[in-house]
Amino acid sequence: MQASFTWGQYYESGMVLQSGGANIWGWGDPTADVEIKVSNRTLTTAKVDVDGRWQARVVLQPGGSFNLTLIHRCLSLPNMIELPVLVGEVWLCVGSDNMALPMAGVLNHTEEIMESLNYTQVRYTEVNKAWTEEPQLDLIGGLSIPVASPKPRNIATLLFNLLDVWAR
């Protein structure tokens, strides 16, 4: 029987982890061990608590792509998950509906989108809307598909602010 082992819904292939340190967390079988490696080098370990949760902090130098290997060991049965990531600055943009202008609503959106293709290290993802009155341990609505470059539906406010900061 294979042990259950997952991580938070927002961990996606190709995502960016914050340089200087990032927490990675998820769920597994209580008292199991979790090991996080990159290039066969152990970065950190964690133990799954009695509630089935684990958390570990990884520190990587900016850049990438790095291929993280997460290994969950329960009753000597290893379960592995691979997670290719970049490491750099992570920006979280939150706001109200007035920030949700899609690129398609920008006057010269075709040119802006074509120009943005030069920024190959930029990632964008969007948390789907969900409502709850109770604190959650994971995303309720999940994520939209992360993209390496903006598309007509992506948020213009976020892109223009990001590119302004990138240029400095």
Side-chain angles (χ1 to χ4, degrees):
M1 177 176 170
Q2 187 135 22
S4 65
F5 181 49
T6 60
W7 57 42
Q9 285 190 39
Y10 67 84
Y11 295 106
E12 299 262 339
S13 178
M15 73 178 294
V16 178
L17 295 178
Q18 179 65 45
S19 61
N23 291 326
I24 298 180
W25 53 268
W27 296 267
D29 289 316
T31 71
D33 294 311
V34 176
E35 179 181 15
I36 301 176
K37 299 174 104 176
V38 65
S39 302
N40 289 322
R41 179 175 56 95
T42 299
L43 295 176
T44 190
T45 59
K47 193 133 189 104
V48 181
D49 68 20
V50 295
D51 295 322
R53 294 185 289 235
W54 61 269
Q55 178 176 318
R57 185 161 181 83
V58 298
V59 178
L60 292 165
Q61 294 300 313
S65 180
F66 296 102
N67 194 34
L68 295 182
T69 302
L70 288 80
I71 304 167
H72 174 265
R73 288 188 180 85
C74 181
L75 302 173
S76 301
L77 297 173
N79 189 353
M80 295 194 319
I81 300 174
E82 300 281 328
L83 180 64
V85 298
L86 299 172
V87 177
E89 290 299 314
V90 174
W91 290 55
L92 184 62
C93 184
V94 295
S96 60
D97 292 344
N98 65 350
M99 291 184 65
L101 172 68
M103 286 299 292
V106 174
L107 184 61
N108 59 343
H109 70 273
T110 302
E111 293 83 12
E112 293 288 353
I113 291 171
M114 292 305 293
E115 174 64 24
S116 73
L117 297 177
N118 294 321
Y119 299 91
T120 58
Q121 297 290 312
V122 172
R123 299 294 187 268
Y124 164 87
T125 194
E126 185 175 331
V127 176
N128 294 327
K129 294 178 178 122
W131 172 257
T132 180
E133 292 184 10
E134 300 296 323
Q136 300 298 305
L137 296 175
D138 203 359
L139 299 175
I140 298 172
L143 291 172
S144 62
I145 297 171
V147 292
S149 60
K151 305 290 188 246
R153 69 172 211 73
N154 292 152
I155 298 172
T157 308
L158 172 65
L159 176 69
F160 292 141
N161 282 304
L162 177 108
L163 296 181
D164 180 58
V165 169
W166 186 283
R168 292 179 196 191

